[in-house]
């Protein structure tokens, strides 16, 4: 990395990205950092660092952005289901020979008190639900249409912003971020007479209340497992990622070696 000013592109979209931005700024004040959001939702958090919003235009666009802005390393702190962005980051980093670190929080696993059906994707989840279920669908506005053909279901869909195409007749929409209080989820599920909970295996604590509520109410959970991503240098927590970043910056990490030059701070 010969650029005058080291520049980290932080692909954001998770709660952890906020604390990463702060920690990188504090620990490496001479490093430029740019955060990036897809811009899918409007009320984006302020990460306290320069931020851009919107897609790059695929891998080619990301490569062009990285070249134009002198990006010297990528951090992928996107949501575990933002697979396209993660794949694009992997491909762009490979093409440019730049380090890539991914923050990958551990997936949830079931306890003996849980009844989970693990499925590979949205379509499998939609097909699994028994006829006539009253399903709580916590799958996201872009994915909810995978369930629309199940007109025999009553869907109660929670998402932050409305879906691009309206829900089928008779379904309900709950527009909110997931509450962190399991009691709130228990009362929501009870109010709607929910029989099945459909969730993405996002991991972390911020969306876990629904899983705990399902356990308390003895409701089956259809758990959509994570998409498979290209193998790269991963850390499961912010602090572990900071250690790896420190190594790369010092030119000690394997990725620093790949770039051949390390960071000039
Ligand atoms: P995606 O399918 O991986 O990304 C689709 C496209 O959005 C990417 O190809 C990229 O466009 C753009 N994009 C995504 N993340 C970006 C970022 N951080 N900065 C700039 N552009 C970005 O991801 P998604 O459509 O956002 O979401 C897919 C799943 O992840 C859904 O289940 C969603 O609920 C979940 N999720 C995502 C976020 C998020 O912040 N992205 C947050 C929570 C949950 P270009 O190809 O044009 O560059």
């Amino acid at each position: 990395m010969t650029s005058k000013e080291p520049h980290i592109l932080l692909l954001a979209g998770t709660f952890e990205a906020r604390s990463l931005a702060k920690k990188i700024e504090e620990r490496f004040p001479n490093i430029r950092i740019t955060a990036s959001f897809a811009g899918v939702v409007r009320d984006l958090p302020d990460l306290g660092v320069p931020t851009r919003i919107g897609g790059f235009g695929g891998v080619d666009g990301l490569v062009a952005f990285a070249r134009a802005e002198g990006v010297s390393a990528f951090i992928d702190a996107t949501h575990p289901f933002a697979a396209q962005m993660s794949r694009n980051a992997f491909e762009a980093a490979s093409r440019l020979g730049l380090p890539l670190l991914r923050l990958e929080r551990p997936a949830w696993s079931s306890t003996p008190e849980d009844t989970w059906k693990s499925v590979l994707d949205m379509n499998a989840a939609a097909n699994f639900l028994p006829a006539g279920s009253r399903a709580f669908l916590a799958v996201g506005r872009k994915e909810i249409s995978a369930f629309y053909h199940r007109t025999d279901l009553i869907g109660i869909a929670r998402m932050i912003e409305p879906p691009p195409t309206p829900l089928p007749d008779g379904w309900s929409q709950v527009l909110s971020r997931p509450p962190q209080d399991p009691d709130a989820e228990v009362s929501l599920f009870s109010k709607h007479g929910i029989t099945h909970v459909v969730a993405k295996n996002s991991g972390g604590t911020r969306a876990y209340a629904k899983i705990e509520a399902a356990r308390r109410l003895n409701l089956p959970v259809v758990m959509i497992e994570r998409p498979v991503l290209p193998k790269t240098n991963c850390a499961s927590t912010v602090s572990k990622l900071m250690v790896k970043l420190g190594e790369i910056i010092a030119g000690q990490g394997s990725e620093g070696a790949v770039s051949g030059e390390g960071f000039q701070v």
Side-chain angles (χ1 to χ4, degrees):
M1 247 146 313
T2 49
S3 67
K4 328 98 243 169
E5 186 186 29
H7 183 189
I8 292 173
L9 179 61
L10 172 63
L11 299 164
T14 51
F15 186 70
E16 289 89 337
R18 303 185 201 186
S19 81
L20 257 179
K22 190 163 176 278
K23 281 194 170 19
I24 295 169
E25 270 232 313
E26 281 168 7
R27 179 145 164 228
F28 304 110
N30 297 329
I31 290 184
R32 179 181 167 205
I33 171 166
T34 301
S36 175
F37 285 106
V40 176
V41 295
R42 269 164 291 195
D43 64 331
L44 291 170
D46 179 3
L47 299 195
V49 298
T51 298
R52 63 165 303 286
I53 297 170
F56 296 94
V59 180
D60 290 343
L62 182 55
V63 166
F65 175 90
R67 284 202 175 113
E69 295 295 325
V71 168
S72 29
F74 296 92
I75 297 180
D76 177 3
T78 58
H79 190 269
F81 280 76
Q84 191 57 55
M85 190 67 249
S86 292
R87 290 182 186 125
N88 290 357
F90 179 84
E91 178 64 27
S94 310
R95 276 200 214 166
L96 293 164
L98 293 178
L100 165 66
L101 285 174
R102 186 188 302 140
L103 185 72
E104 205 169 270
R105 62 185 177 217
W108 296 319
S109 46
S110 59
T111 72
E113 293 82 52
D114 292 317
T115 311
W116 285 14
K117 168 68 181 172
S118 286
V119 295
L120 278 182
D121 56 27
M122 298 288 156
N123 291 331
N127 293 333
F128 175 78
L129 288 166
S133 316
R134 292 181 69 84
F136 181 75
L137 304 168
V139 299
R141 62 189 286 279
K142 279 166 76 177
E143 291 92 342
I144 189 69
S145 60
F147 294 81
Y148 285 5
H149 69 285
R150 290 295 311 270
T151 46
D152 60 304
L153 305 176
I154 299 291
I156 290 84
R158 181 169 63 208
M159 54 198 79
I160 300 168
E161 291 181 14
T165 46
L167 299 178
D169 287 345
W171 290 25
S172 314
Q173 174 170 286
V174 178
L175 291 183
S176 74
R177 291 188 183 276
Q180 291 176 53
D181 176 7
D183 292 341
E185 297 289 56
V186 166
S187 67
L188 182 73
F189 295 173
S190 304
K191 179 179 146 201
H192 287 282
I194 297 300
T195 61
H196 292 74
V197 173
V198 181
K200 293 184 288 200
N201 197 337
S202 301
T205 55
R206 298 182 69 79
Y208 191 70
K210 59 180 174 281
I211 308 302
E212 192 172 329
R215 183 181 308 137
R216 285 196 204 161
L217 294 170
N218 223 4
L219 295 176
V221 175
V222 182
M223 186 62 80
I224 302 158
E225 298 303 343
R226 297 174 174 193
V228 177
L229 299 178
K231 291 214 179 324
T232 190
N233 196 354
C234 286
S236 57
T237 63
V238 168
S239 33
K240 286 180 183 168
L241 191 136
M242 288 300 294
V243 171
K244 291 192 173 207
L245 181 61
E247 287 169 1
I248 288 173
I249 288 170
Q252 297 161 0
S254 55
E255 264 67 12
V258 167
S259 80
E261 295 154 51
F263 266 74
Q264 313 290 311
V265 184

